[in-house]
Amino acid sequence: MFKIRPRQIAELVGIMSMGYVFTRKDLSSEDNLSSSIHSGRGRSMQPELNVTEKDTDIIIINHIPMQLSSFQVPERGKVAIIRSPSDPHKAVVKRIVATEHQKIIPRKDKLHHYTNDDPFVEDDPVTIPKGYCWVEGDNEKSSTDSNFYGPVPVALIQGYAEFVVYPRLKSISNTIPQSTRERIKP
Amino acid sequence: MFKIRPRQIAELVGIMSMGYVFTRKVFSIGFIKGRSMQPELNVTEKDTDIIIINHIPMQLSSFQVPERGKVAIIRSPSDPHKAVVKRIVATEHQKIIPRKDKLHHYTNDDPFVEDDPVTIPKGYCWVEGDNEKSSTDSNFYGPVPVALIQGYAEFIVYPRLKSISNTIPQSTRERIKP
């Protein structure tokens, strides 16, 4: 039997801590959040991610930009990993379509649960406050996103989804869909 | 001059990482600035109270709804690099009447009529500074996602050792239903 000395335990804890910090602050693969990415397993980002229903794409997440004090406004068009406003232990994968001070018309047929229970009239633009952004899944038909929970604080953004490694190596596009762009001013 | 070997550097990085994880996930020390939590914190204007912050409850999967009355450290919805100290006065599904004379910037630029209660959505909470006269809180930026809560302020160590109360002020409780 191995003799386990305190030094080995300290080294093991040190290595685990370094790994933990690295996967939270630098790069990580899809499974390394403390809770699994539930919406990433669904269809809300089709066709960018999970092209067919059976897919569970594996992606590389970049946490570095969020550590810099220069990170105030996220980059429009990037797909981000965000802690869910509805559930503090879940993370979701959505595209950042609008940022602070922009105005966006929410998607039709969605109730807006973040005010006094009255759904917005579909054509009323929402002004995104400072420190917030608006996120949407690419798949209009199947996504719980800002159209449901409203603008999301930038502080909830954990990382950018940089590229897909499985089932094929592909970089993730930074383009906001045209139909979405038409709903945003300026 | 010291000979610095790779092992020493690895040990140093290891120790720094352990410290980093400990202060994010277990306990840390906070320095409080401002008057928004008077008289609980920073009783006189010149004070900068030092507090102990407990990060442990947030790591547990059972942490879904924060504890009402606790003072929490929260990442600011307005600025992702700042943290604020506020009391959790209401939680999901409760209704609260925002404090008067505050504009509500989280909808279409129309301030709420002061008597309209706001229903707090699932996954959110309502935070306020104890000092009515001087606090930027949910009355300004609306309900805050629970995911932004970093820790509970458990007690003050400087200038005196005192535990931080978990009581919602009476005047605040009157604005909350149920």
Side-chain angles (χ1 to χ4, degrees), chain B residues 48-134:
Chain B
T48 305
D49 285 9
I50 300 179
I51 62 169
I52 299 293
I53 302 165
N54 177 8
H55 302 279
I56 299 174
M58 292 77 206
Q59 315 312 318
L60 310 176
S61 59
S62 53
F63 180 78
Q64 292 289 341
V65 180
E67 208 179 308
R68 292 177 204 163
K70 285 207 81 94
V71 175
I73 311 308
I74 303 159
R75 290 180 82 173
S76 168
S78 309
D79 184 338
H81 298 287
K82 288 194 165 60
V84 296
V85 186
K86 301 292 170 214
R87 194 179 296 277
I88 294 167
V89 301
T91 54
E92 58 188 36
H93 311 315
Q94 288 193 297
K95 296 189 208 305
I96 183 167
I97 299 169
R99 278 184 180 142
K100 292 189 173 192
D101 303 323
K102 293 284 183 182
L103 288 179
H104 306 284
H105 289 247
Y106 51 97
T107 61
N108 288 343
D109 293 352
D110 296 329
F112 275 118
V113 170
E114 293 142 356
D115 294 328
D116 274 358
V118 175
T119 304
I120 295 160
K122 180 179 187 313
Y124 287 73
C125 61
W126 188 273
V127 303
E128 288 186 355
D130 286 351
N131 186 349
E132 296 192 2
K133 296 183 178 56
S134 173

Side-chain angles (χ1 to χ4, degrees), chain A residues 7 10-11 13-14 17-18 20-21 25 66-72 83-89 103 113-117 120 124-127 129-132 149 151 153-156 158, chain B residues 7 10-11 13-14 17-18 20-21 24-25 58-64 75-81 95 105-109 112 116-119 121-124 141 143 145-148:
Chain A
R7 193 189 175 86
E11 287 179 347
V13 173
S17 303
M18 286 189 276
Y20 181 89
V21 173
K25 299 292 164 187
M66 292 77 207
Q67 314 311 319
L68 311 174
S69 59
S70 53
F71 179 78
Q72 293 288 343
R83 290 180 83 172
S84 167
S86 309
D87 184 339
H89 298 286
K103 297 188 206 306
H113 288 248
Y114 53 98
T115 61
N116 289 342
D117 293 353
F120 276 118
D124 274 358
V126 175
T127 303
K130 180 178 186 315
Y132 287 72
Y149 40 68
V154 172
L156 289 179
Q158 307 294 297
Chain B
R7 193 189 177 88
E11 288 180 346
V13 175
S17 302
M18 286 189 277
Y20 181 89
V21 172
R24 289 296 173 104
K25 301 286 163 183
M58 292 77 206
Q59 315 312 318
L60 310 176
S61 59
S62 53
F63 180 78
Q64 292 289 341
R75 290 180 82 173
S76 168
S78 309
D79 184 338
H81 298 287
K95 296 189 208 305
H105 289 247
Y106 51 97
T107 61
N108 288 343
D109 293 352
F112 275 118
D116 274 358
V118 175
T119 304
K122 180 179 187 313
Y124 287 73
Y141 40 67
V146 172
L148 288 178

Side-chain angles (χ1 to χ4, degrees), chain B residues 132-147:
Chain B
E132 296 192 2
K133 296 183 178 56
S134 173
S135 176
T136 303
D137 51 34
S138 284
N139 292 297
F140 177 82
Y141 40 67
V144 168
V146 172

